[in-house]
Amino acid sequence: MTVPLSILDLATIGKGQTAAESFAGSVAMAQLAEKLGYRRVWYAEHHNMSSIASSATSVLIAHVAANTDSIRLGAGGVMLPNHSPLTIAEQFGTLETLHPGRIDLGLGRAPGSDQNTMRALRRDPQSADTFPQDVLELQGYLTGPTRVQGVEATPGRGTNVPLYILGSSLFGARLAAQLGLPYAFASHFAPNALQDAVSLYRREFKPSEQLAAPHVIAGVNVVAADAASDAQEMLRATMRARVSLFFGGGRQFTDDEADMILDSPQGQHVSQMMKYSAVGTPDAVLDYLDGFARHADADELIVAHQSTGTAERLRSVELLAEAAGLVRV
């Protein structure tokens, strides 16, 4: 690979699996990623999704960090309008204090769920409007000086946890450029504006104390297997699971029902979400990722290893690392 590889772990709860088993899988994935030479592992804040266990992102990071030694861990990301900047500064300041030099903080402005869940989170519908100001307030708590007179984050102050702006539109790209922060594009599920957003970010980037030159991280799905047919079947299983998640309303579809929906006009949305997916044997996956890195003009790829089973995801992590020539620790 011409660019570093990182991992986005959604802490997937597979069919018949518990959240505790999902967390054990996340620990195993981070340990394997650390051993194989991936740069970082991030966890995303989602709510009210029965198949995703990473809702309490900072708690999960703390658990994984306690069970690994050196790999960088972070949020990809925290949906900042769901929280006060001071609370997030304290959480991630605590993480950085406990695990120095290993913690990242990616920030998004979406709710991470639906409207009813947003209300249950006590989120103000207008809170996304102050996202740029909230990022600056949070940055002040972590790096100083504070932007709220008389208020400091303890722990947090002076920890200098690096911030990343996450997004899938031109808004996030422009904000990251203005603030001189790294930019991570969610092309693994929202691919449409990838090239426009990256181009805008690079064009308008202003250096900052944290970052001297633009840094783009692009998300991409990966399903690597020993046989191409196995990889295709794992991809299909992942897409069936998404049909149940998005259209099931709490029920699980049979494979036949899910396939019918996937083949319908409504189901094409699921396929479009996974437009950027490297699927097949390790060599085929590596070839796709090389091309995707150029297409996205990315400095780093963060890959979401897609499978409904933990063992299959871990095997995908391993096969990609071997094909990419990552250096074992």
Side-chain angles (χ1 to χ4, degrees), residues 107-109 165-173 183-187 189-190 197:
L107 303 168
R109 68 178 182 131
I165 299 297
L166 278 59
S168 58
S169 69
L170 302 187
F171 178 91
Y183 180 53
F185 192 91
S187 35
F189 78 91

Side-chain angles (χ1 to χ4, degrees), residues 82-97:
N82 292 342
H83 314 274
S84 76
L86 177 60
T87 296
I88 297 303
E90 291 169 341
Q91 290 177 6
F92 281 80
T94 298
L95 288 169
E96 175 63 24
T97 301

Side-chain angles (χ1 to χ4, degrees), residues 127-168:
S127 56
D129 296 344
T130 60
F131 180 67
Q133 292 82 6
D134 289 344
V135 171
L136 289 172
E137 181 182 335
L138 173 58
Q139 188 177 52
Y141 291 135
L142 294 171
T143 65
T146 180
R147 290 174 176 264
V148 181
Q149 187 175 2
V151 179
E152 302 282 358
T154 307
R157 181 182 181 183
T159 55
N160 298 309
V161 177
L163 302 184
Y164 297 73
I165 299 297
L166 278 59
S168 58

Side-chain angles (χ1 to χ4, degrees), residues 31-279:
Q31 290 172 336
L32 184 60
E34 179 175 84
K35 176 183 176 182
L36 295 176
Y38 284 86
R39 173 169 284 191
R40 67 184 97 238
V41 182
W42 280 0
Y43 306 91
E45 178 186 341
H46 292 280
H47 299 281
N48 194 31
M49 294 187 179
S50 60
S51 62
I52 297 178
S54 52
S55 53
T57 310
S58 59
V59 180
L60 179 56
I61 293 169
H63 176 62
V64 176
N67 286 279
T68 51
D69 296 316
S70 58
I71 193 167
R72 295 195 69 88
L73 302 166
V78 162
M79 301 298 105
L80 189 55
N82 292 342
H83 314 274
S84 76
L86 177 60
T87 296
I88 297 303
E90 291 169 341
Q91 290 177 6
F92 281 80
T94 298
L95 288 169
E96 175 63 24
T97 301
L98 292 170
H99 307 282
R102 296 182 57 198
I103 303 301
D104 299 327
L105 178 48
L107 303 168
R109 68 178 182 131
S113 193
D114 55 62
Q115 294 296 312
N116 284 339
T117 307
M118 185 177 76
R119 286 191 287 271
L121 287 166
R122 305 296 192 269
R123 171 178 162 148
D124 183 338
Q126 307 304 316
S127 56
D129 296 344
T130 60
F131 180 67
Q133 292 82 6
D134 289 344
V135 171
L136 289 172
E137 181 182 335
L138 173 58
Q139 188 177 52
Y141 291 135
L142 294 171
T143 65
T146 180
R147 290 174 176 264
V148 181
Q149 187 175 2
V151 179
E152 302 282 358
T154 307
R157 181 182 181 183
T159 55
N160 298 309
V161 177
L163 302 184
Y164 297 73
I165 299 297
L166 278 59
S168 58
S169 69
L170 302 187
F171 178 91
R174 181 167 284 114
L175 178 63
Q178 290 173 347
L179 299 182
L181 295 176
Y183 180 53
F185 192 91
S187 35
H188 62 292
F189 78 91
N192 291 340
L194 171 62
Q195 290 182 301
D196 288 342
V198 170
S199 177
L200 184 151
Y201 168 71
R202 291 193 179 280
R203 185 171 64 250
E204 298 189 4
F205 180 83
K206 298 177 181 178
S208 67
E209 288 188 20
Q210 178 178 325
L211 193 65
H215 186 83
V216 172
I217 303 174
V220 58
N221 300 293
V222 166
V223 184
D226 293 287
S229 58
D230 291 341
Q232 289 295 336
E233 182 53 38
M234 283 188 276
L235 176 66
R236 192 69 175 179
T238 298
M239 294 177 71
R240 288 168 179 157
R242 291 197 175 192
V243 166
S244 294
L245 181 65
F246 296 138
F247 302 112
R251 63 163 287 199
Q252 290 287 325
F253 292 113
T254 66
D255 287 351
D256 288 342
E257 289 171 334
D259 286 341
M260 287 179 62
I261 295 172
L262 284 170
D263 292 337
S264 71
Q266 296 92 325
Q268 294 306 305
H269 173 65
V270 176
S271 299
Q272 175 61 20
M273 287 176 66
M274 299 190 70
K275 174 181 177 180
Y276 294 123
S277 296
V279 182

